[in-house]
Amino acid sequence: MNTETIKQLDKQFYMNTFGERIPVSFTKGEGIKLYDDEGNEYFDFLAGIAVNSVGHSHPVMVNALKEQVENLIHVSNYYYIDNQALLAEKISKNSCADKVFFANSGAEANEGAIKLARIYHYKKGNEKTEIITLTNSFHGRTLATVAATGQEKFSAPYHPLMEKFIYVPINDINAFKEKVSEKTCAVMIEMIQGESGVHEVEESYIQEVYKICKENDIIFICDEVQTGMGRTGKLFAYEHFGVEPDIFTLAKALGGGVPIGAVCAKDFVADAFSPGDHGSTFGGNPLATRAGLAVFEIFEKENLVEKSKTNGEYFKEKLIALSEKYSIIKEVRGKGLMIGVEFKEAIAPEIKHDLFERKYLAGATATTLRILPPLTVTIEEIDGFLAVFEEILKEK
Ligand code: PLP
């Protein structure tokens, strides 16, 4: 089916939540490359918005999923599930979490985290219900997570919102201290804000926030939906900041493209969930958790977390060199392979379009180009991006 036919069907039958999409439909992927219905080759420096961490159609993933599909796709959580238990073990052994619960998306994982923080205090008999999040954060599209998201544009049509979310500006410790009270239940933070344009928290800020949380029985939640699974050059972004969250959430890269989410928590808070308090029909099913296990296997075999760090540093250095040469670039930000290039004007969508014309895919806010390649990206592929990007910069 060609793109024009798909576009017509989409227009007629799909709810118009995505508006005019980029006019291409991909039929095949391999590594960083995607191919459209006419066989054109593209370089995917967006990776399904930080999802395809092991690239497209990685043979280990393909074989694992083929084998799983042939045996068992779904059974329900009434029964014990081997892959679910094994993936929970993997996450737990590689992080500060003791226990894991699987959901189906980032928003759903964050919902689970919010519920867990609330039930923790409920069961202790504490009247602590307020959750502090950051302005310009993004935590998802469900009703609780749009309320958690500190951006009016996502929540305005959905009032009345779920109550008791309080927003504070990033890296402003005094603003944070002003809002903390005996009613504070939890703090939920992205260590690097992705959706709003790659904004990093400062280490000193996070350490102070963390200290206040520990002193006041406030649950410290990291939303690692985008930063998790090696994206920032560590397996989890919290590792850069010398803190251990009580709860962190994962999704995106964990399944390498198969939908999955995870609420990961320390025992003292995870224990607040008793049978019946939370659940999911699909969450942690044999197929999704097999994908998660394949992702871990590939990460270990190919040393992808270390690669994300070193290749990310190389990429960022080269982009900083370009920023010194081309004055339209204001700043280059990010860690590992989560990189933002901010322009002095709101031209990032135009740059994204120019890249697309040259068969390179990236993301954009108004002023910031978002670069999130698969963690398998090679130096040669990074150089390819840089050459095309410089060609575009020269024209501006
Ligand atoms: N949290 C963060 C930090 C995200 O970047 C996103 C998605 O972009 C979400 C939550 C929501 O994830 P999902 O779209 O899988 O519900």
Side-chain angles (χ1 to χ4, degrees), residues 132 134 168-169 172-180 187 189 205 208-210 212-213 218:
I132 299 179
L134 299 181
V168 294
D172 182 341
I173 195 66
N174 291 329
F176 178 78
K177 283 181 181 165
E178 266 171 36
K179 298 290 181 190
V180 174
V187 169
I189 286 181
Y205 171 78
E208 186 78 0
V209 167
Y210 185 71
I212 293 168
C213 287
I218 296 168

Side-chain angles (χ1 to χ4, degrees), residues 49 105-108 110 138-140 190 195 223 225-226 251-252:
I49 325 180
S105 66
E108 208 189 311
N110 286 339
F138 186 79
H139 298 294
E190 294 160 87
E195 190 278 339
D223 177 344
V225 166
Q226 189 162 152
K252 290 190 184 274

Side-chain angles (χ1 to χ4, degrees), residues 4-15:
E4 198 45 45
T5 313
I6 300 168
K7 199 172 159 182
Q8 289 313 317
L9 281 174
D10 177 271
K11 203 171 166 139
Q12 195 176 350
F13 296 111
Y14 202 81
M15 289 192 201

Side-chain angles (χ1 to χ4, degrees), residues 270-307:
D271 286 348
F273 273 157
S274 305
D277 287 334
H278 193 50
S280 168
T281 298
F282 291 116
N285 86 2
L287 182 67
T289 45
R290 185 69 190 88
L293 287 169
V295 165
F296 267 98
E297 189 183 331
I298 298 163
F299 268 48
E300 282 159 19
K301 275 193 185 139
E302 300 185 15
N303 212 5
L304 288 190
V305 178
E306 183 57 27
K307 249 184 122 182

Side-chain angles (χ1 to χ4, degrees), residues 46-110:
L46 185 59
I49 325 180
V51 167
N52 305 101
S53 51
V54 297
H56 297 280
S57 301
H58 193 292
V60 171
M61 175 66 84
V62 170
N63 289 333
L65 293 182
K66 268 188 185 163
E67 190 192 273
Q68 192 60 50
V69 166
E70 276 166 7
N71 286 303
L72 194 65
I73 296 176
H74 180 84
V75 284
S76 101
N77 283 307
Y78 288 151
Y79 313 104
Y80 290 101
I81 298 170
D82 53 358
N83 294 341
Q84 185 182 99
L86 288 168
L87 185 59
E89 180 193 28
K90 267 274 172 227
I91 294 171
S92 178
K93 292 218 160 135
N94 284 284
S95 74
C96 64
D98 300 305
K99 297 272 181 354
V100 177
F101 173 87
F102 291 113
N104 306 287
S105 66
E108 208 189 311
N110 286 339

Side-chain angles (χ1 to χ4, degrees), residues 316-361:
K316 209 173 143 187
E317 257 169 43
K318 295 279 175 183
L319 287 166
I320 289 170
L322 287 179
S323 75
E324 282 155 9
K325 205 162 151 194
Y326 298 93
S327 60
I328 52 166
I329 299 179
K330 186 176 165 197
E331 194 183 20
V332 179
R333 293 189 292 267
K335 280 188 165 42
L337 288 166
M338 182 170 185
I339 302 175
V341 179
E342 185 175 350
F343 297 95
K344 288 186 182 144
E345 288 161 35
I347 56 163
E350 187 185 315
I351 304 267
K352 180 179 102 169
H353 174 79
D354 294 343
L355 281 165
F356 176 71
E357 291 287 299
R358 290 163 168 88
K359 307 278 185 283
Y360 277 80
L361 310 178

